Amino acid sequence: MNIRNIIKYWRVTLTVAEMTVRHQLNDSFIVFAVLIQPMLIAILALFMLKEKGTDYAMFVVVGSGLTGLWSSLLFVSGNSINVERWSGTLETLVGVPTPFEVIVFGKNLASVAQSLLSMVVSYALAALFFGYSLHVDQPLMFIASVLLTVFAFVSFGLIIAPIFVMYRGVQQWQNALEFPVYILAGFLFPIALLPFWTVPISYVLPPYWAAIALHGTTTGAAPLEETFFAWGLMLVFSIVDLFIASRLFKFMLYKVRVDATLDTE
Amino acid sequence: MNAIEVNHLKRVYRAAIGVFKRSIKEVVAVDDISFSVEKGELFGLLGPNGAGKTTTVKMLATLLIPTAGNISIMGFDVVKQANEVRKRIGFIFGGERGLYWRLSAEDNLRYFASLYGADPEVSKKRIPYLLEMVGLKGRGNERVEGYSRGMKQRLHVARTLLHDPEVLFLDEPTIGLDPVGAREFRQVILDLQTEKKTILLTTHYMFEADALCDRIAVIDKGCTVALDTPGGLKKHVSDLSIVEMETFGAPEEVLNGIRALPFVDAVSVEDQDQRQLLKVQTERGAEAVPDLMAALDGQRVGRVIVREPTLEDAYVRLVGGKV
């Protein structure tokens, strides 16, 4: 792919992201997944950890924000292709010259980026209603961690979406995948508290490394090497995810055109 | 070079049936269809429900992969060079789906212009032009969910013209439109033809095909039954007259009795509320009326007229009375 195409597709990605946000503004499920549910989780955790101090409050803010990111990835990005099929727009999208994975990337970018709002909401909640004076210990590294987290989540979403389209049996487990990842990725408490045998599962989850980077840079408690290592792994996972996604999309687009499942009618 | 070349096209749908004992059921939607369309031609594809029209259009639009045969659009193969084909085609499927209802018409067009790789500066000028062309000037900033069915169809036309495609596929575009909306839509199609677009149109409305199409392919059971100009197709029934008889609740066995008469070529039945309109094709013309009345066996009969055949009658004869 040459520079001209990269610029062209980046422009398309931004337009898709803009239109996705506009389209989702009135979707009450998105409001629930991105704002209400993380807020409820934050309230619950803040009450439970009330006596633990400011560092724990910041952990909860970031952790509940991550729950919003994961829920958005699972339900919005995961269903991003299926939703187009249900609404009858999938045929139109597949019939344009822009590669379909570029379109889904733009849609996922919008979903994940807007779910960052859940972190802002949790922060405001902790500061206004629980009286915590919160600050981010390493702001620049935190921003870099957020950007890498978005990239890692969007890339991970590109694998989930075609799998949900092709294998409806997997999609039926969608709800069951929500809370286990909250736990296994250490969003709200360290995975050291979990049984030893769960650790390898956490290590292969990009959200776990996102949590390490975000928690580490907000509290400043983690050594720099640990944050850099988490960044590196998020990048590696993203590149591997994008490679797998490109294969999955090619296979899915061929399969749906053979099986005639682009439309539900 | 023709704009569209279709050679021995075949498409089989496979579906798994059964819960415990799974088996694969095959349905042949398109069996053997061949035709070509010249550049700038308005070509019609007619056939009864289930004849394979929409399946054919979806294969032409790169949305389905043929089981056998091949299609080229402007010299590009629809399977091997799908992306080159997509740059050169636009398509509309009948109905209201395929647009983002919560976005405005302008946002829908800006979105799809981007997906077709249009320059944003060019789109800024082209979008108002297209909205005006399809009669939506001044309504572009309204959400699509508030549009009537006809307005949505016209927005589909604007969407499909964003990248100025050379070839257009219109699959039953006037279905569900009110008479005024359908007439306006037909004018849009004629305007497109004057712009030298190659258009493939499928429709159920014979007068529409007669008025718009340069040539028509009639397909039935997935095969091409006839291919000619509207005038040429009418010659298939030039030896016949049509006896139209209005009946009221005539049972199927009586209708079958008429179909079995030796001088009857084909019979189509249109149900209109409480009444039926029988269209009987016969070489005997008015002389057949007394025998037909006798065959109706005491059924209540209203208006009876004898007239010259139309394209619809040619179509009925070609597809064996299925309308």
Side-chain angles (χ1 to χ4, degrees):
Chain A
M1 192 186 282
N2 58 33
I3 295 288
R4 212 173 135 199
N5 273 344
I6 291 173
I7 294 170
K8 186 172 88 177
Y9 291 147
W10 179 242
R11 198 186 272 167
V12 173
T13 301
L14 292 181
T15 307
V16 172
E18 181 202 337
M19 292 303 165
T20 304
V21 170
R22 281 170 183 251
H23 198 247
Q24 289 179 347
L25 277 177
N26 297 317
D27 191 332
S28 49
F29 177 77
I30 308 284
V31 175
F32 177 79
V34 171
L35 296 177
I36 311 290
Q37 181 168 288
M39 207 160 73
L40 295 174
I41 290 171
I43 291 170
L44 197 68
L46 285 167
F47 268 121
M48 287 166 69
L49 301 169
K50 212 173 175 183
E51 312 300 325
K52 296 275 184 176
T54 306
D55 274 358
Y56 280 98
M58 200 61 208
F59 198 92
V60 167
V61 165
V62 172
S64 56
L66 278 164
T67 65
L69 278 174
W70 174 246
S71 297
S72 169
L73 176 82
L74 194 59
F75 293 105
V76 185
S77 304
N79 281 338
S80 55
I81 302 174
N82 271 330
V83 164
E84 300 286 349
R85 178 158 69 178
W86 297 328
S87 60
T89 42
L90 185 56
E91 283 186 332
T92 324
L93 296 184
V94 171
V96 299
T98 297
F100 188 55
E101 47 270 47
V102 172
I103 300 171
V104 180
F105 187 90
K107 288 171 67 66
N108 288 3
L109 179 65
S111 307
V112 173
Q114 73 187 3
S115 67
L116 286 173
L117 267 179
S118 57
M119 217 177 277
V120 178
V121 169
S122 303
Y123 184 93
L125 198 75
L128 296 174
F129 293 99
F130 289 83
Y132 288 110
S133 170
L134 301 172
H135 76 282
V136 175
D137 203 68
Q138 298 160 332
L140 287 179
M141 289 184 70
F142 176 74
I143 291 169
S145 300
V146 168
L147 293 176
L148 277 168
T149 298
V150 169
F151 185 51
F153 273 60
V154 170
S155 305
F156 197 38
L158 284 179
I159 294 182
I160 297 177
I163 289 176
F164 280 0
V165 170
M166 289 186 287
Y167 308 105
R168 288 175 197 175
V170 178
Q171 200 199 4
Q172 287 165 2
W173 289 91
Q174 196 172 19
N175 288 331
L177 287 171
E178 193 177 22
F179 274 79
V181 172
Y182 291 177
I183 297 166
L184 288 168
F187 286 170
L188 293 161
F189 51 84
I191 63 162
L193 298 172
L194 298 174
F196 180 72
W197 60 266
T198 64
V199 173
I201 305 172
S202 300
Y203 285 175
V204 296
L205 293 173
Y208 168 72
W209 299 104
I212 291 284
L214 291 170
H215 285 315
T217 52
T218 46
T219 59
L224 280 181
E225 304 84 66
E226 192 177 296
T227 306
F228 289 145
F229 187 67
W231 285 3
L233 276 176
M234 276 198 278
L235 266 179
V236 169
F237 274 121
S238 302
I239 290 165
V240 171
D241 289 347
L242 288 177
F243 176 76
I244 296 171
S246 72
R247 299 296 159 122
L248 276 174
F249 268 80
K250 200 171 177 185
F251 178 64
M252 177 200 73
L253 286 173
Y254 184 79
K255 191 175 183 321
V256 292
R257 290 191 298 143
V258 168
D259 296 346
T261 49
L262 272 174
D263 198 5
T264 51
E265 287 192 339
Chain B
M1 182 183 68
N2 284 316
I4 303 171
E5 284 278 0
V6 178
N7 293 308
H8 302 293
L9 193 62
K10 181 169 185 161
R11 170 71 206 200
V12 179
Y13 290 113
R14 292 182 177 86
I17 52 169
V19 178
F20 299 110
K21 198 178 173 185
R22 305 277 281 176
S23 60
I24 301 293
K25 185 187 175 193
E26 289 196 345
V27 177
V28 181
V30 172
D31 199 9
D32 185 5
I33 289 180
S34 300
F35 61 84
S36 58
V37 183
E38 290 174 19
K39 284 182 186 171
E41 188 176 9
L42 208 166
F43 187 87
L45 209 53
L46 296 185
N49 289 335
K53 301 186 296 293
T54 298
T55 299
T56 302
V57 173
K58 287 193 175 179
M59 286 189 279
L60 289 163
T62 76
L63 302 176
L64 279 179
I65 292 180
T67 309
N70 57 67
I71 304 171
S72 76
I73 310 283
M74 304 304 290
F76 295 100
D77 185 274
V78 294
V79 178
K80 294 177 192 146
Q81 297 163 294
N83 229 31
E84 291 302 320
V85 172
R86 286 169 186 161
K87 289 176 190 168
R88 290 163 176 82
I89 64 166
F91 55 86
I92 299 173
F93 296 109
E96 299 176 275
R97 288 151 62 87
L99 294 165
Y100 294 92
W101 288 24
R102 286 195 218 132
L103 294 180
S104 70
E106 278 169 3
D107 280 346
N108 266 281
L109 295 182
R110 198 155 65 80
Y111 181 56
F112 284 110
S114 169
L115 300 185
Y116 276 106
D119 186 299
E121 290 305 311
V122 175
S123 299
K124 268 185 197 169
K125 291 174 191 157
R126 189 154 175 82
I127 288 170
Y129 163 75
L130 289 172
L131 284 171
E132 185 173 355
M133 178 190 160
V134 298
L136 292 174
K137 189 183 176 187
R139 308 288 301 267
N141 58 357
E142 292 175 27
R143 276 196 203 174
V144 173
E145 63 191 356
Y147 277 19
S148 69
R149 196 181 175 108
M151 289 166 76
K152 285 179 191 135
Q153 280 298 74
R154 282 184 275 144
L155 182 58
H156 268 303
V157 174
R159 172 189 59 75
T160 206
L161 293 174
L162 281 165
H163 57 304
D164 199 17
E166 295 160 86
V167 181
L168 288 169
F169 302 115
L170 311 177
D171 186 27
E172 299 187 5
T174 55
I175 197 162
L177 296 186
D178 62 55
V180 176
R183 191 175 60 191
E184 287 172 357
F185 199 91
R186 282 193 287 277
Q187 188 54 50
V188 171
I189 295 173
L190 286 171
D191 292 344
L192 292 173
Q193 201 191 15
T194 59
E195 289 184 22
K196 304 289 180 205
K197 304 279 182 205
T198 305
I199 301 172
L200 186 139
L201 169 78
T202 79
T203 179
H204 265 307
Y205 306 123
M206 299 302 138
F207 69 94
E208 191 168 272
D210 199 0
L212 296 174
C213 297
D214 299 316
R215 285 189 307 142
I216 294 169
V218 179
I219 61 172
D220 188 26
K221 294 176 187 155
C223 295
T224 316
V225 179
L227 199 168
D228 211 330
T229 60
L233 288 176
K234 283 178 205 168
K235 283 182 188 160
H236 283 271
V237 282
S238 58
D239 56 331
L240 300 176
S241 294
I242 312 300
V243 181
E244 283 189 2
M245 309 175 82
E246 194 179 41
T247 59
F248 300 86
E252 196 56 34
E253 55 267 30
V254 171
L255 300 179
N256 286 337
I258 292 176
R259 287 189 181 102
L261 292 171
F263 57 88
V264 170
D265 195 77
V267 180
S268 68
V269 183
E270 278 178 29
D271 288 313
Q272 301 170 335
D273 299 326
Q274 302 299 314
R275 64 197 183 109
Q276 301 151 305
L277 186 63
L278 310 189
K279 293 178 183 175
V280 182
Q281 299 189 3
T282 172
E283 289 176 6
R284 287 176 54 192
E287 289 175 17
V289 173
D291 291 332
L292 289 171
M293 294 294 280
L296 277 169
D297 194 23
Q299 295 292 320
R300 189 176 151 212
V301 178
R303 184 172 54 99
V304 177
I305 58 169
V306 181
R307 62 165 174 81
E308 293 296 306
T310 61
L311 179 64
E312 180 174 335
D313 302 310
Y315 169 82
V316 168
R317 188 177 210 188
L318 288 164
V319 301
K322 289 173 291 185
V323 283

